[in-house]
Amino acid sequence: MAEHSEFMVRFWGVRGSIACPGESHRRYGGNTSCLEVRCGEHLLVFDAGTGLRLLGDHLGGPKALSGDLFLTHTHLDHIVGLPFFGPLYNPDTRFRLWAGHLQPELTLHEALSQFMIAPLFPVPPEIFAGNISFHDFVAGETLEPQPGVTLRTAPLNHPNNATGYRIDFDDRSVCYITDTEHVIDQPDQNILGLIEGADILIYDSNFTDEEFPDYLTWGHSTWQEGVRLAERAGINRLVIFHHDPSHDDAFMDQVARDAEETRPGTLVAREGMVLSP
Ligand SMILES: [Zn+2]
Ligand SMILES: [Zn+2]
């Protein structure tokens, strides 16, 4: 049997919109979007929500590090952890930050400079001591951030745009699709084209189908739409992600039961959960 390289995903933040710590959200977690992906020796981070601070602590705080950080988009819940990611303050750190939803209007550096600016935030991105570079692409492009790691991307249906990612490594694949709104009875062809046959699909399930009609234009989808996409695209494992802050542990337990009944093996993302494709 062939030896496989390590390929794993760890969830550091699974929540949408705003962090929601508290006793009623303890088991699934209150931090906003952040994934750690390991492709062999390569570190890839997806989104810089409040979960990113915990990842930085886990990696040794201000220790030097090299890696790539890919943003789905720059809404606050996906970037607010960036200034609190300890490794960026080590002069020996080499990190590349990537975004595919801003061009041609803005660069990623410009967008982040509009967030890390007084009086909203005391210091600009130039405070990062490490070798930090900013990379703009256009969703739809294919990237190869490291040898053997292929990142296909697609535009998502979200206010101010967002990018969906498919990571292919060592003959396996993980898709990270958040934040996106579906159209009822019209499966998103951009997403289907990206996720076809993937091992793991992590999907924006902010709402349930029952809630969805009340939140049109908010830019989010449902776990039931995730199931429909997973069935069409032949996905091995669906992961429900970007939980609404109003959905407490008891609510998420019910989602987990309903999803298990609808598509056995479906998982609800929790902070600390580790998966390998
Ligand atoms: Zn979000
Ligand atoms: Zn968003």
Side-chain angles (χ1 to χ4, degrees):
M1 231 172 102
E3 270 289 303
H4 273 304
S5 302
E6 184 192 29
F7 189 6
M8 74 90 172
V9 184
R10 194 193 308 257
F11 293 81
W12 290 95
V14 301
R15 200 58 68 167
S17 308
I18 189 165
C20 52
E23 195 49 35
S24 57
H25 292 62
R26 190 175 47 80
R27 286 186 287 109
Y28 290 89
N31 284 293
T32 65
S33 303
C34 181
L35 307 183
E36 171 191 7
V37 176
R38 298 281 176 174
C39 294
E41 62 192 12
H42 304 302
L43 168 64
L44 286 70
V45 181
F46 288 85
D47 278 330
T50 62
L52 183 66
R53 184 182 64 85
L54 305 174
L55 171 60
D57 290 351
H58 172 77
L59 296 174
K63 225 174 78 182
L65 205 67
S66 38
D68 291 280
L69 194 160
F70 300 90
L71 296 170
T72 55
H73 62 313
T74 39
H75 283 161
L76 280 179
D77 54 319
H78 296 255
I79 61 169
V80 72
L82 191 68
F84 302 94
F85 187 48
L88 299 181
Y89 297 89
N90 187 309
D92 295 323
T93 282
R94 299 181 69 84
F95 235 84
R96 295 182 294 187
L97 311 184
W98 304 76
H101 67 293
L102 293 167
Q103 288 288 302
E105 285 84 9
L106 277 178
T107 65
L108 175 57
H109 184 265
E110 285 167 345
L112 292 176
S113 300
Q114 293 176 7
F115 144 66
M116 293 177 70
I117 187 169
L120 304 184
F121 196 77
V123 291
E126 282 63 41
I127 196 75
F128 299 139
N131 183 338
I132 312 303
S133 55
F134 299 84
H135 300 265
D136 292 283
F137 63 94
V138 177
E141 286 180 34
T142 298
L143 312 172
E144 196 186 335
Q146 300 287 349
V149 180
T150 304
L151 270 192
R152 286 170 56 202
T153 69
L156 302 179
N157 180 31
H158 195 62
N160 319 125
N161 309 320
T163 303
Y165 291 95
R166 176 187 179 126
I167 312 141
D168 280 286
F169 177 67
D170 197 38
D171 296 324
R172 289 166 286 163
S173 47
V174 174
C175 298
Y176 179 50
I177 310 292
T178 201
D179 298 20
T180 195
E181 178 168 337
H182 68 279
V183 179
I184 292 173
D185 293 334
Q186 285 179 42
D188 188 318
Q189 296 301 324
N190 288 335
I191 295 176
L192 283 176
L194 188 67
I195 67 176
E196 178 65 36
D199 294 294
I200 292 176
L201 169 62
I202 301 161
Y203 187 70
D204 178 345
S205 308
N206 200 87
F207 301 121
T208 64
D209 269 3
E210 296 70 35
E211 294 168 322
F212 186 70
D214 291 335
Y215 298 97
L216 298 179
T217 75
W218 285 42
H220 295 292
S221 191
T222 70
W223 68 263
Q224 290 98 330
E225 183 69 7
V227 167
R228 290 186 284 268
L229 291 170
E231 287 298 311
R232 276 185 183 247
I235 301 298
N236 184 22
R237 191 182 290 281
L238 172 66
V239 182
I240 290 169
F241 183 78
H242 200 282
H243 314 321
D244 192 272
S246 72
H247 293 169
D248 62 10
D249 287 341
F251 190 101
M252 295 314 301
D253 285 343
Q254 186 61 47
V255 167
R257 283 191 291 271
D258 292 345
E260 173 63 27
E261 205 166 289
T262 310
R263 192 171 199 264
T266 296
L267 293 174
V268 177
R270 296 172 184 241
E271 262 175 51
M273 191 170 86
V274 177
L275 293 177
S276 279

